[in-house]
Amino acid sequence: MTASPLGRVGAGYRGDSQFNAFFLADQAAIPPVRRRLRARLEAEGLGRVADDVTLACQELMANAVIHGCRHLPTGTRLTVTATWNAMQLRVAVHDPSDENPRQQADSSSRTDGRGLRLVSALSDRWGVQPDPVRGGKSVWMELDMDAADRVVEP
């Protein structure tokens, strides 16, 4: 887990493109949000990074549902925000829990516990930002952008 060089907390700057979605604390609510995010990234010319970004986002959403909402009703609402510009793409998932996520130790026998390792591999950095206004936290990941990431349609 590393700090964001831009010090962003998940809110976009003027001129950034943004995607926002609410979803319920239910694993079945994750795939539709992932599909909408992917479609938006592709429409914005970011198809080259869409697979990695949506996979990492899916892991953040699943961790929020499974761990951040463990003792909460399935009607609990969570948020996902993606913000991007020419320099950086950031995805943040907010859940109401104050408990920070932890990367699990390597294990060949477990079938779970690899989500944050995957997020770390797919992003340039990730971290946790407490939310003093709403409570809970946002778990975020960032991807540095370069000219090759943006596909410009002819």
Side-chain angles (χ1 to χ4, degrees), residues 88-111:
Q88 184 182 73
L89 187 147
R90 178 185 177 97
V91 174
V93 176
H94 180 268
D95 71 63
S97 172
D98 292 326
E99 184 178 331
N100 284 338
R102 297 175 321 211
Q103 258 185 306
Q104 301 292 318
D106 286 337
S107 171
S108 60
S109 62
R110 273 199 341 256
T111 59

Side-chain angles (χ1 to χ4, degrees), residues 75-91:
T76 301
R77 285 175 33 136
L78 299 106
T79 60
V80 60
T81 302
T83 307
W84 60 94
N85 58 33
M87 295 173 30
Q88 184 182 73
L89 187 147
R90 178 185 177 97
V91 174

Side-chain angles (χ1 to χ4, degrees), residues 10 13 26 40 42 46 64-65 74 80 82 88 93 96 99 116 136 152:
Y13 292 129
D26 180 347
R40 176 69 189 277
E42 288 177 345
L46 295 170
V65 169
T74 56
V80 60
Q88 184 182 73
V93 176
E99 184 178 331
L116 290 177
V152 179

